[in-house]
Amino acid sequence: MSRPGPGALISINGLGFPPQNLARVVVWEWLNEYSRWRPYTATVCHHIENVLKEDARGSVVLGQVDAQLVPYIIDLQSMHQFRQDTGTMRPVRRNFYDPSSAPGKGIVWEWENDGGSWTPYDMDICITIQNAYEKQHPWLDLSSLGFGYVIYFNSMSQMNRQTQRKRRVRRRMDLAYPLTIGSIPKSQSWPVGANSGQPCSCQQCLLVNSTRAASNAILASQRRKMYQASGNGTGTGTLPVRQSNTFNGTGTTLWAGGTGPPGGAAKGEPGRSPGGAPGGNFSRSQSAPGGAQLPRQNNLNRPGTQRVAVLSTRASIPPGVPALPVKNLNGTGPVHPALAGMTGILMCAAGLPVCLTRAPKPILHPPPINKSDIKPVPGIPGICRKTKKKQLKKSKNPEDVVRRYMQKVKNPPDEDCTICMERLVTASGYEGVLRHKGVRPELVGKLGKCGHMYHLLCLVAMYNSGNKQDGSLQCPTCKAIYGEKTGTQPPGKMEFHLIPHSLPGYTDTQTIRIVYDIPTGIQGPEHPNPGKKFTARGFPRHCYLPDNEKGRKVLRLLIMAWDRRLIFTIGTSNTTGESDTVVWNEIHHKTEFGSNLTGHGYPDPNYLDNVLAELTAQGVLEPSSKD
């Protein structure tokens, strides 16, 4: 084990805090979905510490100091971060570092992400980089910390060892993290009952109180399962769980676990006796066998406890206890995760048992497939289509395009033109704004398929206003398409083949897999911001169809839509809000292979009919179906 440098986490007796007479820098961190501890900013940490001094068992509203963290609340008793709009709960911890390390000096190291903004490194990485920087090392290899990157200080860049891709890094000065000296703050009783008055009844406090009850129930259930599973044959001892007084009028029970025998207790298993049985049968007023008084310890400074809680979520749920997934229910809207979290909170508040579980993950891809098992789709020529960047063919004369699809109306009805909102019996509203030879402002025409009537000059103006003039026309009222509509899809590649696996709901057929791949590039004249770079996230994208008659029909039409550049376009992502990026273009695809957790998978008996209707709306029809 390597000797920690000056910026290493100070850990004494596995408790995560140093001796009481030593100064230390406090950094609060939260556990992300990749099991990495991410630091809060120094401003947020100062705010948490200020609340902690007033009430070590209270709650912290993060939105008071950071507008981006408005939905988040930290419950100091359960050491969990709660997101109000989704119900998601994540563990948090309180770490301590040497005052001479990067957080003590207010130094932050960041890397530039794909969006052009800056992301801070994990705190241990930041400290390691700063130590190497202060020693004037020309470069730093992060492989020893589990990251395949090399930092070059001369060019201030980070290189991926595998792909050789480089990103910019920067070192900036910020507010120093809070410094604490002396004893660890002791927990205080939550104000309940006659001893300390009635709790506040405002909406914020009601939410926090409910959150605390939910957290206690979750942690209690997890610990019971963990010690029941590991305590077989060790007696009937149980581990007392620290509960909130929010919903009862009794005294507070703190953690009763000891520091463990020297060198005998495993990390993350506080409160176990030397014999191996859970040593939690002692309240804070009782003594351990042999007369040794068990020290009182606060959950605030026990990161090992948090790790145990996270690991124990994988244990089985006790029979009879309803399981509510935190991140997802049987739906796709944002209200479902919030309902899951709030339902669990309300059930806990009412004294009902509940277990919040991790949501099942979507099955996006099939099992591994040998290349020899991949076959062409029957009846579909080829296995790949490519589109290249090419200039759009513009009609020589917009009037010719309009006249191609319209018939003149000698006696138009006395109704509005839905383009200029003037009466059809009067001149077009574009009179004086747009002048074209041979197109008088009072001329009215009727579209051949749908029969809707407009001023000819209005249709010419509508055609000219489009970002692509490909010779097609779309009725502004019913969206009927005249001619062959093309889109603004960037250059890329579409592959399609047959794989020997079945989709849910189509167990008797194999599966057609479509793979779209579009690289990043520069926007053309038909795009929102010509000359500006666009991004392409999530490529290659895999999509799936059943290999039956209707599935192959959909594939033929999707190939036609790809050739017409209608599958994707450049715009703003509804998921991330990122602009100038490649997005789907109103033709839905199924991207989940073996599940339907997000609504983009199978079984879905109506999908093939729905996507055929979407293709028809884009003017993509089989030759025999065209008028």
Side-chain angles (χ1 to χ4, degrees):
M1 182 175 178
S2 60
R3 182 169 56 93
L9 167 67
I10 302 172
S11 180
I12 303 297
N13 297 330
L15 301 180
F17 59 88
Q20 296 185 356
N21 59 351
L22 191 64
R24 61 268 195 197
V25 172
V26 180
V27 178
W28 284 81
E29 299 167 318
W30 58 277
L31 188 69
N32 69 8
E33 60 270 26
Y34 304 109
S35 299
R36 288 170 50 193
W37 290 98
R38 301 289 295 145
Y40 291 100
T41 65
T43 302
V44 172
C45 290
H46 277 279
H47 177 59
I48 299 174
E49 286 294 302
N50 290 336
V51 175
L52 178 64
K53 292 176 182 177
E54 297 177 2
D55 185 359
R57 299 178 60 206
S59 63
V60 185
V61 181
L62 301 185
Q64 293 178 351
V65 292
D66 190 335
Q68 295 181 343
L69 302 180
V70 168
Y72 297 96
I73 294 175
I74 291 180
D75 180 37
L76 294 177
Q77 177 176 332
S78 66
M79 290 295 284
H80 273 75
Q81 170 191 275
F82 175 71
R83 178 165 179 166
Q84 301 176 70
D85 55 348
T86 65
T88 303
M89 301 178 73
R90 297 184 184 275
V92 300
R93 71 180 184 183
R94 187 178 186 233
N95 260 353
F96 301 91
Y97 296 91
D98 192 283
S100 62
S101 62
K105 299 176 180 178
I107 297 173
V108 180
W109 283 87
E110 301 172 320
W111 55 274
E112 187 179 28
N113 58 36
D114 291 336
S117 57
W118 294 90
T119 302
Y121 286 96
D122 296 353
M123 189 53 68
D124 55 344
I125 303 293
C126 176
I127 291 173
T128 303
I129 296 174
Q130 177 61 22
N131 289 342
Y133 179 83
E134 291 176 350
K135 295 176 181 178
Q136 299 183 349
H137 292 172
W139 52 272
L140 172 65
D141 190 346
L142 299 179
S143 300
S144 60
L145 298 176
F147 296 91
Y149 298 96
V150 178
I151 306 294
Y152 294 98
F153 295 108
N154 293 334
S155 60
M156 291 297 283
S157 62
Q158 165 193 286
M159 185 187 73
N160 187 311
R161 294 175 61 91
Q162 182 176 0
T163 65
Q164 304 299 308
R165 181 180 179 181
K166 289 189 176 182
R167 297 178 183 271
R168 292 193 299 165
V169 301
R170 73 177 184 181
R171 174 182 179 269
R172 66 177 180 86
M173 298 300 298
D174 198 355
L175 179 69
Y177 279 81
L179 186 69
T180 182
I181 301 176
S183 60
I184 302 299
K186 294 182 179 180
S187 294
Q188 301 173 2
S189 298
W190 187 259
V192 176
N195 294 334
S196 54
Q198 296 297 324
C200 178
S201 60
C202 70
Q203 294 296 322
Q204 182 69 57
C205 289
L206 289 176
L207 174 63
V208 170
N209 293 345
S210 300
T211 304
R212 177 172 292 108
S215 301
N216 285 335
I218 295 167
L219 294 176
S221 175
Q222 291 171 349
R223 294 187 188 105
R224 282 196 299 270
K225 289 181 291 182
M226 179 182 66
Y227 287 111
Q228 285 171 2
S230 62
N232 294 334
T234 59
T236 59
T238 58
L239 180 70
V241 178
R242 189 175 95 178
Q243 299 287 346
S244 169
N245 285 338
T246 305
F247 298 100
N248 57 47
T250 61
T252 304
T253 302
L254 297 180
W255 276 99
T259 59
K267 187 176 182 180
E269 295 184 340
R272 296 184 65 86
S273 65
N281 286 332
F282 315 104
S283 68
R284 61 176 178 171
S285 60
Q286 292 176 314
S287 300
Q293 185 74 20
L294 290 174
R296 305 177 205 171
Q297 293 168 7
N298 194 313
N299 200 20
L300 285 173
N301 306 300
R302 301 176 67 96
T305 303
Q306 302 301 331
R307 287 189 289 271
V308 170
V310 174
L311 293 175
S312 65
T313 58
R314 301 176 182 175
S316 60
I317 299 173
V321 178
L324 294 177
V326 172
K327 292 186 178 179
N328 192 280
L329 286 175
N330 294 326
T332 59
V335 68
H336 295 93
L339 284 176
M342 295 308 296
T343 301
I345 289 172
L346 294 175
M347 292 178 69
C348 288
L352 300 175
V354 66
C355 214
L356 296 183
T357 66
R358 292 184 181 273
K361 293 184 178 180
I363 303 173
L364 301 179
H365 303 291
I369 304 170
N370 294 326
K371 289 185 178 181
S372 59
D373 294 330
I374 297 176
K375 306 294 183 182
V377 180
I380 308 294
I383 59 172
C384 180
R385 300 298 283 264
K386 294 182 179 180
T387 57
K388 297 181 179 180
K389 189 173 183 180
K390 55 185 178 181
Q391 292 292 333
L392 293 172
K393 296 180 179 179
K394 294 187 178 181
S395 174
K396 293 181 179 179
N397 194 333
E399 295 87 356
D400 294 340
V401 176
V402 173
R403 291 179 185 276
R404 186 185 311 162
Y405 307 117
M406 296 199 71
Q407 304 169 356
K408 286 186 179 181
V409 178
K410 294 182 179 179
N411 299 309
D414 187 15
E415 59 186 38
D416 287 340
C417 170
T418 56
I419 297 178
C420 69
M421 301 310 295
E422 298 289 345
R423 309 296 287 181
L424 289 173
V425 295
T426 63
S428 167
Y430 285 92
E431 181 183 14
V433 179
L434 190 66
R435 295 184 180 276
H436 282 268
K437 293 181 179 181
V439 181
R440 297 193 306 273
E442 64 274 8
L443 286 178
V444 174
K446 180 176 69 173
L447 289 170
K449 292 181 183 178
C450 60
H452 290 111
M453 289 182 282
Y454 309 94
H455 293 111
L456 263 68
L457 191 61
C458 292
L459 282 175
V460 170
M462 183 189 75
Y463 182 82
N464 282 335
S465 67
N467 58 0
K468 55 181 181 56
Q469 298 164 7
D470 56 2
S472 68
L473 193 68
Q474 188 167 18
C475 176
T477 300
C478 66
K479 307 304 180 184
I481 296 174
Y482 297 82
E484 184 176 291
K485 179 182 177 181
T486 59
T488 60
Q489 176 180 288
K493 181 173 65 173
M494 174 188 183
E495 297 181 355
F496 41 90
H497 47 253
L498 205 61
I499 59 176
H501 295 289
S502 299
L503 294 167
Y506 297 94
T507 55
D508 297 331
T509 65
Q510 294 186 348
T511 299
I512 299 170
R513 179 167 62 183
I514 305 171
V515 182
Y516 296 109
D517 197 5
I518 295 179
T520 58
I522 304 298
Q523 298 183 51
E526 72 273 25
H527 295 136
N529 297 296
K532 185 178 180 180
K533 182 180 179 180
F534 68 84
T535 59
R537 310 288 185 198
F539 288 95
R541 299 187 185 183
H542 293 228
C543 309
Y544 303 95
L545 292 168
D547 180 36
N548 55 24
E549 182 178 353
K550 189 174 289 187
R552 289 191 288 270
K553 178 181 178 180
V554 170
L555 176 60
R556 286 193 295 269
L557 295 179
L558 288 176
I559 294 172
M560 191 181 302
W562 172 267
D563 292 338
R564 297 182 186 179
R565 305 172 65 193
L566 294 171
I567 301 292
F568 296 96
T569 187
I570 293 178
T572 300
S573 170
N574 290 329
T575 305
T576 65
E578 181 183 8
S579 58
D580 298 307
T581 191
V582 179
V583 296
W584 295 104
N585 187 34
E586 300 180 359
I587 300 176
H588 286 83
H589 287 65
K590 292 295 188 180
T591 54
E592 284 186 59
F593 174 79
S595 59
N596 194 18
L597 298 180
T598 65
H600 301 302
Y602 295 93
D604 185 348
N606 300 320
Y607 168 67
L608 295 178
D609 292 327
N610 291 340
V611 74
L612 286 173
E614 292 173 344
L615 288 162
T616 301
Q618 297 282 355
V620 181
L621 300 167
E622 289 190 305
S624 59
S625 302
K626 290 186 177 179
D627 292 340

